[in-house]
């Protein structure tokens, strides 16, 4: 919908609009119509030849316009111009404009599509449209949808005018620039039953007091509250809503605020976004709020949970939940970011989100002692937490850096991302356990793309074999680690040999291998012969059974290679088994 604004630098537009509202149709209004018609008539005459050929109606309109233009000229040439007759002629002439032949509903649709800017600096663009002609003025001033988005200015009369033109339709009120709160409050209180939304985004010295006074008003039609004041100050605006305002509240978006303490403020919410805010309630009260918010569809909590009281002291493995998990049946978006890892793990252990399509968890551990990874974040019963673990088609797991662990899963309808970053001790305490667990977590899903970042060496051969047997639809494999090639390809071959004659991962076509192991200088045997043989044996077996790889990419980040006489390039052997080989190897010392 279009937005209504008024430039606070001058009140001339407001006075002109008030004059235009009079039912008497004063001479000043007529002069506006005359000017509008005379300014547009020349343009209409220039295009009359084109429009005349479109339809019989167009030809009639063109002929009628010509006669009206002649009549207007004759009236203007009289010594004493008959104002009433001239006015009727101008109105009739205006009706012949092609745009005014559009049905009212279509013209309204066009205006809404070309909605004016909501920026007060562009008020002239909006106000000017009222002066085009009488018909446009009548449409604009009688359509409530053009006046329901009200940007409060330093003129309280403007707010009163817009609310009166809403004709009982709920309105959205925006505080984005200069305004007088004391002059605005009485109008809002009088029309409180029309206020559908309040948005406050202006940073001024009294912003915290403004918000408290605005939200204390009884606003029975209130559906949305958005406070977005970005400040580095530790001061927060206390958001406390009256019971009338909470009755139908559906969206609460707060930045740099103190969230409501009353559980009733959250009961009917569909959207709750708290960013860089404080929430001074207990952990159990927090869970009770989630349980009571049965309509909740979007939950975004970013840097706002440090003030929770009476939280469990550690991870669920040591401090298991003392109450049954709450099922947020309608939740579609869950963002839990900038929260301690142990607290994030406890929250996830206490909820279920079966319908969530966007799950984003970003936690941190600030300790001088080793801390667990994302593996400690995952709920004990992952199947009941979210269906993504059984429907994912693309999975990325691993330790991207020594201080960063991440799990990302994507399906046709759902996206999950969990991350733990270390801010104290720079190494995770559960790398072996985590990688073994990650690789088995998604074995019930139809995974087509599997990426392991920076920790492939922590996965045992037995686990790799289980993974390859459990992912028959796997098409892409992207691995990063150190000294892991042999175990991976030995497991790939073994899974097929012991698979009862069934080739595992028959659709596997692309494999990307990156080795990050560090070997300074030139070494005589940086890539053992056994590892090379395991790689070739697996590729040879797949080629012989008609499921050869289409692309193999091998990258060594730190190892250096010295060409030896009588040795063949490794890529020569690989190219005989793989359609497309990319490698940064120069030469190897293996005899083929």
């Amino acid at each position: 919908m279009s937005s209504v604004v008024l430039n606070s630098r001058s009140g001339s537009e407001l006075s002109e609009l008030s004059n235009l509202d009079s039912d008497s149709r004063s001479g000043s209004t007529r002069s506006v119509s005359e000017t509008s018609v005379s300014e547009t008539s020349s343009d209409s005459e220039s295009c009359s030849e084109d429009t005349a050929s479109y339809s019989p109606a167009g030809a009639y309109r063109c002929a009628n316009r010509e006669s009206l233009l002649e009549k207007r000229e004759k009236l203007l040439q009289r010594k004493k111009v008959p104002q009433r007759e001239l006015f009727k002629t101008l109105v009739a002439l205006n009706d012949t404009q092609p745009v005014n032949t559009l049905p009212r509903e279509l013209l309204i649709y066009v205006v809404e599509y070309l909605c004016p800017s909501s920026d007060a600096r562009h008020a002239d663009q909006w106000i000017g449209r009222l002066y085009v002609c009488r018909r446009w003025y009548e449409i604009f001033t009688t359509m409530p949808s053009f006046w329901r988005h009200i940007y409060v200015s330093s003129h309280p009369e403007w707010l009163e005018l817009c609310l009166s033109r809403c004709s009982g339709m709920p309105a959205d009120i925006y505080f984005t620039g200069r305004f007088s709160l004391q002059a605005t409050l009485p109008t809002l209180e009088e029309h409180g039953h029309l206020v559908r939304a309040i948005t406050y985004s202006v940073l001024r010295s009294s912003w915290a007091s403004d918000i408290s006074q605005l939200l204390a008003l009884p606003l029975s039609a209130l559906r949305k509250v958005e406070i977005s004041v970005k400040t580095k100050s530790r001061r927060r605006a206390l958001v406390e809503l009256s019971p009338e305002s909470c009755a139908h509240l559906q969206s609460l978006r707060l930045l740099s605020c103190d969230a409501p303490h009353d559980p009733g403020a959250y009961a009917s919410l569909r959207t709750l976004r708290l960013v860089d805010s404080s929430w001074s309630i207990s952990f159990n009260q927090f869970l009770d709020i989630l349980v009571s918010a049965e309509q909740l569809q979007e939950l975004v909590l970013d840097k706002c949970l440090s003030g929770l009281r009476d939280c469990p002291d550690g991870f669920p493995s040591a401090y298991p939940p003392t109450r049954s998990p709450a099922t947020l049946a309608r939740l579609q978006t869950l963002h839990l970011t900038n929260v301690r890892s142990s607290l994030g793990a406890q929250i996830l252990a206490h909820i279920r989100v079966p319908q969530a399509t966007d799950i984003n968890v970003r936690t941190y551990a600030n300790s001088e002692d080793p801390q667990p990874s994302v593996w400690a974040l995952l709920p004990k019963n992952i199947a009941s937490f979210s269906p993504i673990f059984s429907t994912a088609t693309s999975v990325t797991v691993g330790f991207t850096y020594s201080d960063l662990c991440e799990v990302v899963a994507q399906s046709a309808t759902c996206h999950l991302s969990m991350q733990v970053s270390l801010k104290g001790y720079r190494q995770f305490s559960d790398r072996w356990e985590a990688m073994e667990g990650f690789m088995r977590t998604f074995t019930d899903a139809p995974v087509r793309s599997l990426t392991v970042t920076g920790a492939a060496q922590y996965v045992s051969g037995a686990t790799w074999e289980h993974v390859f047997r459990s992912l028959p639809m796997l098409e892409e494999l992207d691995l990063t680690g150190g000294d892991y090639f042999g175990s991976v390809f030995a497991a790939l071959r073994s899974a097929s040999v012991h698979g009862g004659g069934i080739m595992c991962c028959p659709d596997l076509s692309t494999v990307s291998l990156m080795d990050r192991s560090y070997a300074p200088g030139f070494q005589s045997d940086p890539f053992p012969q056994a590892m090379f043989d395991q790689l070739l044996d697996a590729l040879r077996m797949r080629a012989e059974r008609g499921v050869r790889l289409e692309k193999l990419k091998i990258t060594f980040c730190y190892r250096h290679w010295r060409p030896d006489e009588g040795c063949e390039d490794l890529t020569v052997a690989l190219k005989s088994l793989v359609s497309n080989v990319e490698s940064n190897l120069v030469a190897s010392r293996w005899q083929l």
Side-chain angles (χ1 to χ4, degrees):
M1 290 297 180
S2 303
S3 303
V4 182
V5 295
L6 181 66
N7 195 330
S8 59
R9 294 173 296 178
S10 171
S12 59
E13 294 93 340
L14 181 60
S15 62
E16 286 188 273
L17 280 176
S18 299
N19 292 335
L20 285 173
D21 261 338
S22 63
D23 294 331
S24 59
R25 305 301 186 189
S26 63
S28 60
T29 305
R30 297 173 185 174
S31 64
V32 170
S33 299
E34 294 167 8
T35 304
S36 302
V37 174
S38 61
E39 288 176 348
T40 58
S41 61
S42 59
D43 294 336
S44 300
E45 291 173 359
S46 63
C47 66
S48 61
E49 294 181 1
D50 295 332
T51 58
S53 60
Y54 288 164
S55 66
Y60 172 78
R61 184 172 61 249
C62 180
N64 190 32
R65 182 162 58 246
E66 293 294 337
S67 63
L68 289 171
L69 287 171
E70 293 178 3
K71 183 178 181 180
R72 185 194 64 178
E73 294 301 325
K74 290 179 180 179
L75 292 174
L76 292 174
Q77 290 174 3
R78 294 185 184 181
K79 291 182 178 181
K80 186 177 181 180
V81 179
Q83 293 294 329
R84 183 178 296 276
E85 187 176 357
L86 177 61
F87 179 74
K88 292 181 178 180
T89 303
L90 292 174
V91 171
L93 182 59
N94 188 68
D95 291 339
T96 64
Q97 298 293 333
V99 69
N100 284 334
T101 63
L102 295 176
R104 176 189 175 93
E105 294 77 12
L106 183 56
L107 183 57
I108 291 174
Y109 176 81
V110 172
V111 175
E112 289 178 345
Y113 182 78
L114 301 173
C115 57
S117 170
S118 61
D119 195 330
R121 294 172 297 179
H122 300 155
D124 293 341
Q125 176 187 359
W126 165 254
I127 301 299
R129 298 187 184 190
L130 294 172
Y131 295 92
V132 171
C133 64
R134 286 171 57 88
R135 184 171 186 245
W136 282 40
Y137 173 76
E138 185 272 334
I139 290 177
F140 271 72
T141 56
T142 58
M143 277 302 298
S145 59
F146 291 154
W147 303 90
R148 64 188 304 185
H149 295 269
I150 307 172
Y151 285 73
V152 178
S153 72
S154 56
H155 299 280
E157 300 90 347
W158 174 250
L159 176 61
E160 179 74 33
L161 175 64
C162 294
L163 288 172
S164 65
R165 286 182 173 168
C166 284
S167 302
M169 181 177 289
D172 299 342
I173 313 298
Y174 300 84
F175 296 87
T176 61
R178 293 172 51 194
F179 69 95
S180 171
L181 181 66
Q182 298 308 317
T184 301
L185 285 177
T187 302
L188 288 179
E189 188 171 9
E190 178 184 354
H191 299 276
H193 63 287
L194 296 179
V195 178
R196 181 181 63 175
I198 288 183
T199 299
Y200 189 104
S201 59
V202 54
L203 181 60
R204 61 181 195 171
S205 59
S206 60
W207 69 276
S209 174
D210 292 347
I211 293 170
S212 297
Q213 295 183 65
L214 283 171
L215 299 183
L217 296 174
L219 308 174
S220 58
L222 192 63
R223 297 292 189 274
K224 175 183 176 182
V225 172
E226 181 172 356
I227 311 296
S228 55
V229 181
K230 191 172 181 62
T231 173
K232 295 182 180 179
S233 172
R234 294 185 178 181
R235 185 176 59 151
R236 295 289 183 263
L238 177 60
V239 176
E240 289 292 355
L241 298 163
S242 64
E244 295 87 349
S245 300
C246 296
H248 304 289
L249 188 65
Q250 296 181 356
S251 177
L252 182 61
R253 303 166 183 255
L254 304 179
L255 172 64
S256 301
C257 293
D258 188 0
H261 301 164
D262 181 12
Y266 308 94
S268 59
L269 287 183
R270 297 182 181 179
T271 297
L272 175 61
R273 298 175 66 95
L274 302 180
V275 179
D276 195 16
S277 297
S278 58
W279 209 355
S280 302
I281 58 176
S282 68
F283 183 75
N284 281 327
Q285 286 177 324
F286 167 74
L287 295 178
D288 291 339
I289 287 174
L290 296 184
V291 172
S292 64
E294 297 179 353
Q295 304 299 318
L296 196 62
Q297 298 177 6
E298 179 182 4
L299 178 62
V300 177
L301 304 175
D302 178 28
K303 199 177 179 181
C304 65
L305 298 177
S306 59
L308 289 184
R309 305 186 306 271
D310 304 326
C311 297
D313 293 331
F315 288 86
S317 57
Y319 300 88
T322 58
R323 53 190 287 177
S324 300
T327 300
L328 308 183
R330 301 190 178 212
L331 194 70
Q332 297 179 0
T333 300
L334 172 62
H335 288 189
L336 185 63
T337 54
N338 284 306
V339 61
R340 293 192 329 272
S341 294
S342 57
L343 179 56
Q346 287 289 352
I347 293 175
L348 296 179
H350 283 83
I351 62 174
R352 300 289 183 264
V353 287
Q355 300 299 322
T357 58
D358 182 11
I359 303 173
N360 185 10
V361 180
R362 294 284 187 272
T363 69
Y364 66 87
N366 192 357
S367 174
E368 295 301 324
D369 299 321
Q371 294 293 314
S373 64
V374 173
W375 180 244
L377 287 182
L378 296 177
K380 184 176 181 180
N381 189 348
I382 58 175
S384 62
F385 173 74
S386 170
I388 183 64
F389 296 100
S390 59
T391 60
T393 57
S394 176
V395 175
T396 299
V397 299
F399 297 83
T400 308
Y401 303 101
S402 62
D403 59 351
L404 180 64
C405 178
E406 186 173 27
V407 172
V408 179
Q410 179 76 49
S411 70
T413 59
C414 185
H415 175 80
L416 175 139
S417 177
M418 291 187 175
Q419 184 183 99
V420 175
S421 61
L422 299 180
K423 295 185 177 182
Y425 195 86
R426 311 301 287 183
Q427 188 170 334
F428 290 96
S429 61
D430 59 349
R431 289 175 296 174
W432 287 93
E433 178 187 1
M435 287 307 303
E436 290 283 324
F438 291 153
M439 299 305 294
R440 294 177 180 272
T441 298
F442 295 92
T443 51
D444 292 333
V447 178
R448 291 184 173 86
S449 176
L450 175 61
T451 300
V452 178
T453 59
Q457 69 272 20
Y458 295 121
V459 182
S460 66
T463 299
W464 276 120
E465 187 170 343
H466 174 72
V467 168
F468 290 134
R469 287 178 179 174
S470 303
L471 303 180
M473 302 178 67
L474 188 65
E475 299 175 0
E476 298 180 8
L477 184 63
D478 189 343
L479 307 179
T480 302
D483 295 325
Y484 63 91
F485 291 2
S487 62
V488 172
F489 282 92
L492 181 63
R493 185 178 187 280
S494 178
S496 298
V497 171
H498 300 94
I502 300 176
M503 176 63 66
C504 71
C505 305
D507 298 326
L508 183 63
S509 60
T510 302
V511 175
S512 179
L513 307 173
M514 178 176 288
D515 187 284
R516 290 184 178 273
S517 56
Y518 182 70
F522 292 101
Q523 296 186 0
S524 60
D525 195 8
F527 195 175
Q529 179 77 42
M531 186 183 298
F532 175 63
D533 291 339
Q534 290 169 327
L535 171 64
L536 287 182
D537 288 345
L539 296 179
R540 186 177 295 111
M541 179 180 181
R542 297 186 68 84
E544 291 173 352
R545 297 196 181 183
V547 289
R548 63 190 299 157
L549 293 184
E550 295 180 5
K551 182 177 181 179
L552 174 64
K553 181 178 180 179
I554 302 179
T555 304
F556 283 82
C557 295
Y558 303 112
R559 287 177 168 174
H560 302 278
W561 297 86
R562 179 179 58 194
D564 295 331
E565 293 184 3
C567 297
E568 292 191 37
D569 191 340
L570 172 62
T571 57
V572 174
L574 294 176
K575 287 182 178 179
S576 64
L577 303 174
V578 182
S579 302
N580 183 8
V581 177
E582 295 182 15
S583 174
N584 66 343
L585 304 180
V586 178
S588 59
R589 62 183 298 277
W590 301 282
Q591 299 291 339
L592 301 180

